[in-house]
Structure formats: structure tokens, C-alpha cells
Amino acid sequence: MDAGVRKLIGVVAVAASLVVLIGFPVAFRIYRIPSGGMEPTIQHGERVMSRLSKGPQRGDIIVFDYPLQPSTPFLKRLVGLPGETVEIRDKQLFINGKKAEEPYVQHDDPQTFPRNPDLPEPYRSRDQFGPYTVPPDSYFVLGDNRDRSSDSRYWGVVPRQNVRGVVILAGSWRRGFRRV
């Protein structure tokens, strides 16, 4: 092999190494999940890998800066986009008046609380919520474990600028990772 080709291969190898070493942490992030609000999709204590995304879609699990404490990363499922009307009736999600199909949702409390403004939170908003129109540049998020999740029903929407990325993998180093 001639010296010019070897030099080119060396430059390409160094460039690829820099992309992996420098680009990987920027394009992907790993977070540990401290709660069970996304069960059964993501288990308490698992890790998730997210990728940067300029435009998350409905159904994506997003990582974001928690609006009440921006230094804390949270993750929830994006269910409402800007301008859409979100409503929960008897534990069922409706978007713009249409029942949403959510095969990933878990309800582990058989009781359904009625619409009653005198109920204290979290019971007032857990099973009956809205209708609520998502403001511009914001997202409405819910946990998959609906009866045990702290989400937009209680603390509001996620501003677009708070979104860190979209979750692509979940799991553990010991048991491996799976696509979500």
C-alpha cells in the first residue's frame, strides 16, 4: 500500500474517532430513570438513551427539563401537540375529541374518580381532565403508568425549548437494551 493511501486511511480513522468521541455525547445522551411513572414501558431504575430531535412527534417518549425544576431531567410520552385539545374522560385520553389508541398505557388502580372540583389533587385531575388546548411551542405529556405519574395534568405543559431529546432505547447494562 502506498504512503498516500496509508496517510488518507489514518486521517479518516482519526476523524471517525473524533466523531465518536466528541459527536456521540452531543447527539446521544443516557439517563437513569428514578421513578415508575413510565412503567411498563420503562422500568424504575433502567437507563434510557435519547437522541437529539428538533421535532418530536405524538407518541414519542421525550426527555425534557422539568418545568418546575429545570435542572432536573424528566421523561414522559408526548400526547398533545401545539394547538391540540387534550381531554381525559374516565381514564381515557381524547385528542381533538377523538379517542386515542394507547396500547402502552397502564392503569393499576381500578377506581375511577368522578369529575369533581372539590376533590384534592392528584385525584381531581387523574381520571378526568380538560378539555385543555396546548399553547404554541409547548407539548402535553403523560406517563404510561397513568395512575402513578406526575405529568402535565398536574404541573402543565413542556415548553419546546425544554426538550432535550427523544428516547430510542431503554434497558440496563446487564440485561441489554431494547427499542422503545
Side-chain angles (χ1 to χ4, degrees), residues 58 79-80 84-102 115 127-132 134 140 142 146:
R58 179 188 344 282
V79 299
E84 293 183 328
T85 300
V86 175
E87 185 173 10
I88 297 173
R89 291 184 242 142
D90 297 329
K91 296 190 182 201
Q92 177 61 54
L93 175 67
F94 291 82
I95 303 293
N96 295 329
K98 292 184 178 181
K99 184 177 174 183
E101 294 300 320
E102 300 183 290
R115 187 173 298 275
D127 302 334
Q128 317 293 332
F129 179 87
Y132 174 81
V134 181
F140 194 92
L142 294 172
R146 293 285 158 82

Side-chain angles (χ1 to χ4, degrees), residues 16-33:
S17 297
L18 287 174
V19 167
V20 169
L21 293 174
I22 296 171
F24 184 79
V26 173
F28 297 94
R29 295 283 310 261
I30 295 178
Y31 301 92
R32 187 172 177 281
I33 306 309

Side-chain angles (χ1 to χ4, degrees), residues 15 27 35 56 71 89 101 112 125 133 144 151 161-163:
S35 73
S71 63
R89 291 184 242 142
E101 294 300 320
T112 300
S125 300
T133 301
D144 287 357
D151 50 41
Q161 69 266 18
N162 284 28
V163 176

Side-chain angles (χ1 to χ4, degrees), residues 56-68:
Q57 303 297 310
R58 179 188 344 282
D60 286 345
I61 298 172
I62 61 172
V63 178
F64 54 92
D65 297 326
Y66 178 41
L68 301 180

Side-chain angles (χ1 to χ4, degrees), residues 41 80 88 97 99 119 146 153 164 174:
T41 309
I88 297 173
K99 184 177 174 183
L119 281 173
R146 293 285 158 82
R153 294 172 289 182
R164 293 183 180 192
R174 228 177 298 156

